[in-house]
């Protein structure tokens, strides 16, 4: 009976094969990472726009019940808790006041400069103003945003 001869020569990878695999992986990651980061930026902006719209709807419901929008000093917390035991208050209008996708509080000013109230996220930079990826997400339409 013949014993099967085992090819012991090819039991591990050579250094060149490992280096080639690493180079391929690094190349793929260098292509995929910027694409992923761009997707995350767009997703954060979309989430902020959706949250601003949700908060505007809750503020409109509050106004329909109470007769006016909450004052700036009370802020968005009036959507969760009855601030002054107003008997017309029909809330809670939302479960809790969310933070924007970058972890900052939404800014609420009533009366606002652009309407009955101004509601906005300061964007990824956490500063008022900004352009591009760091632009504020607002409940009003800026002159330069009319093309969107």
């Amino acid at each position: 009976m013949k014993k099967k001869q085992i090819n012991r020569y090819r039991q591990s990878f050579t250094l060149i094969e490992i280096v080639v695999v690493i180079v391929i992986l690094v190349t793929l990651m260098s292509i995929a990472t910027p694409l992923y980061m761009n997707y995350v930026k767009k997703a954060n902006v979309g989430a902020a726009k959706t949250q601003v719209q949700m908060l505007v709807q809750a503020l409109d419901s509050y106004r329909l019940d109470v007769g006016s929008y909450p004052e700036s000093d009370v802020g968005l917390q009036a959507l969760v808790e009855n601030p002054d035991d107003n008997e017309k208050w029909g809330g809670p209008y939302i479960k809790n006041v969310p933070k924007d996708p970058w972890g900052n509080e939404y800014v609420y000013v009533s009366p606002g400069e652009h309407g009955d109230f101004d509601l906005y996220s300061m964007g990824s930079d956490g500063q008022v103003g900004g352009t591009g990826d760091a632009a504020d997400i607002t409940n009003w339409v800026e002159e330069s945003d009319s093309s969107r």
Side-chain angles (χ1 to χ4, degrees):
M1 192 152 77
K2 293 184 179 180
K3 290 186 178 180
K4 291 186 179 179
Q5 188 173 13
I6 299 174
N7 187 359
R8 296 180 191 260
Y9 174 73
R10 206 57 179 137
Q11 289 183 347
S12 62
F13 295 107
T14 65
L15 181 60
I16 293 177
E17 290 171 328
I18 293 173
V19 168
V20 167
V21 168
I22 290 172
V23 167
I24 290 170
L25 290 175
V26 167
T27 303
L28 289 174
M29 289 303 295
S30 67
I31 294 169
T33 301
L35 294 174
Y36 172 75
M37 295 308 291
N38 190 32
Y39 174 76
V40 169
K41 287 178 190 176
K42 287 181 182 179
N44 284 341
V45 170
K49 287 179 179 179
T50 301
Q51 286 179 337
V52 165
Q53 290 173 353
M54 183 242 352
L55 290 169
V56 166
Q57 290 174 350
L59 286 163
D60 287 341
S61 295
Y62 178 95
R63 184 186 56 84
L64 287 173
D65 289 347
V66 176
S68 64
Y69 291 106
E71 295 297 321
S72 294
D73 58 340
V74 176
L76 297 174
Q77 197 60 32
L79 300 173
V80 178
E81 301 171 351
N82 191 347
D84 53 2
D85 296 324
N86 189 328
E87 58 190 41
K88 295 179 182 178
W89 191 81
Y93 300 94
I94 55 176
K95 281 187 172 183
N96 56 20
V97 179
K99 291 191 175 194
D100 71 10
W102 301 278
N104 302 314
E105 300 286 335
Y106 283 96
V107 178
Y108 172 76
V109 180
S110 176
E113 293 179 22
H114 302 94
D116 293 328
F117 63 90
D118 291 348
L119 176 67
Y120 59 94
S121 163
M122 293 183 283
S124 62
D125 64 352
Q127 305 282 330
V128 175
T131 57
D133 295 337
D136 295 347
I137 292 91
T138 65
N139 70 315
W140 67 89
V141 177
E142 294 285 341
E143 295 295 323
S144 62
D145 290 346
S146 60
S147 63
R148 288 186 196 178

